[in-house]
Amino acid sequence: GENVEQHPSTLSVQEGDSAVIKCTYSDSASNYFPWYKQELGKRPQLIIDIRSNVGEKKDQRIAVTLNKTAKHFSLHITETQPEDSAVYFCAASLIDTFSGSARQLTFGSGTQLTVLP
Amino acid sequence: DTGVSQDPRHKITKRGQNVTFRCDPISEHNRLYWYRQTLGQGPEFLTYFQNEAQLEKSRLLSDRFSAERPKGSFSTLEIQRTEQGDSAMYLCASSPLRGSTEAFFGQGTRLTVV
């Protein structure tokens, strides 16, 4: 089965600096890679995702890059703000060709990001 | 419809007791997933349904765990003869069959086995 590793487990940055979180996956068949943000005591929420036919995707201060050959993908947050402080999870999945829907997600172990004011 | 709803939010039970959790997905979401999350870890997949059919079960899911989605709407997850190692947050998520790959999570049921 799929295995996702995530690094670092904790990350502290100064407000305004950039943060980078990296993940690797094992199953070359995986073709969908979402990132979830989980604030303390709250549900995980999708912040950005990327499919394997794309190498990079941006949404305002957040970007994700994917290297299919090396089987790794990264989350980049620029101009960090205190409200970015949370646990971030990467995940990998397979999108059914017929339905266009993703199967179950395999998550990394999470990165606790702290943005210091 | 404000999102995925789970009940109860918290459950404390004695070892050996049975517990049942309920998940109400977003309306018209065909797929429903159960995950388990322990402190400091990412959610671990347990099982998922497409409508009423249970399509996949994790090898982590022992015989004491059973899940149902009888009418393709809400789902229940039952744990029989609970053990202390079952203490965790049980998360439910749903997604549409077509049009979006996003899985929407509920707030979870926190189980404590004493």
Side-chain angles (χ1 to χ4, degrees), chain B:
Chain B
D1 189 341
T2 56
V4 179
S5 176
Q6 291 188 245
D7 185 70
R9 294 288 308 279
H10 304 273
K11 178 72 177 178
I12 300 174
T13 191
K14 291 185 178 180
R15 190 172 52 185
Q17 297 294 304
N18 299 344
V19 294
T20 300
F21 311 141
R22 177 180 169 123
C23 172
D24 287 88
I26 294 172
S27 294
E28 300 178 359
H29 276 195
N30 304 89
R31 288 200 169 177
L32 185 148
Y33 312 79
W34 285 99
Y35 292 85
R36 178 172 63 190
Q37 186 177 26
T38 53
L39 199 61
Q41 297 297 316
E44 288 180 302
F45 168 73
L46 295 178
T47 188
Y48 88 92
F49 294 82
Q50 182 167 303
N51 300 316
E52 65 274 10
Q54 189 172 19
L55 293 190
E56 194 157 342
K57 291 169 59 173
S58 166
R59 285 168 288 179
L60 296 173
L61 211 62
S62 78
D63 291 344
R64 297 183 298 106
F65 288 70
S66 62
E68 292 184 342
R69 195 183 184 196
K71 298 182 180 178
S73 56
F74 73 91
S75 174
T76 57
L77 177 69
E78 181 183 16
I79 309 174
Q80 296 183 326
R81 304 181 303 281
T82 51
E83 302 172 357
Q84 285 191 321
D86 296 332
S87 295
M89 176 72 82
Y90 289 83
L91 292 165
C92 175
S94 70
S95 67
L97 187 56
R98 291 180 177 81
S100 173
T101 50
E102 181 176 355
F104 294 83
F105 281 84
Q107 296 212 329
T109 294
R110 180 165 296 285
L111 173 66
T112 303
V113 181
V114 297

Side-chain angles (χ1 to χ4, degrees), chain A residues 1 32 36 38 41-46 49 51 89 95-96 98-110, chain B residues 3-4 9 31 33 35 37 40-43 45 48 56 59 91 95-98 100-103 105-107:
Chain A
Y32 174 62
Y36 280 81
Q38 187 173 30
K42 296 193 175 180
R43 69 189 79 193
Q45 291 193 298
L46 180 73
D49 57 12
R51 300 193 184 200
F89 293 100
I95 294 177
D96 283 336
F98 174 71
S99 70
S101 182
R103 294 185 186 177
Q104 73 271 22
L105 299 168
T106 300
F107 284 88
S109 54
Chain B
V4 179
R9 294 288 308 279
R31 288 200 169 177
Y33 312 79
Y35 292 85
Q37 186 177 26
Q41 297 297 316
F45 168 73
Y48 88 92
E56 194 157 342
R59 285 168 288 179
L91 292 165
S95 67
L97 187 56
R98 291 180 177 81
S100 173
T101 50
E102 181 176 355
F105 281 84
Q107 296 212 329

Side-chain angles (χ1 to χ4, degrees), chain A residues 57-117:
Chain A
K57 184 177 179 181
K58 286 185 180 180
D59 182 3
Q60 300 182 331
R61 298 186 296 108
I62 294 173
V64 58
T65 59
L66 171 66
N67 183 326
K68 282 192 300 184
T69 304
K71 289 191 283 190
H72 65 71
F73 55 113
S74 301
L75 177 72
H76 304 251
I77 306 174
T78 58
E79 302 172 16
T80 54
Q81 301 167 3
E83 52 265 37
D84 294 331
S85 296
V87 179
Y88 291 81
F89 293 100
C90 61
S93 183
L94 179 67
I95 294 177
D96 283 336
T97 306
F98 174 71
S99 70
S101 182
R103 294 185 186 177
Q104 73 271 22
L105 299 168
T106 300
F107 284 88
S109 54
T111 297
Q112 172 69 63
L113 173 65
T114 302
V115 179
L116 304 169

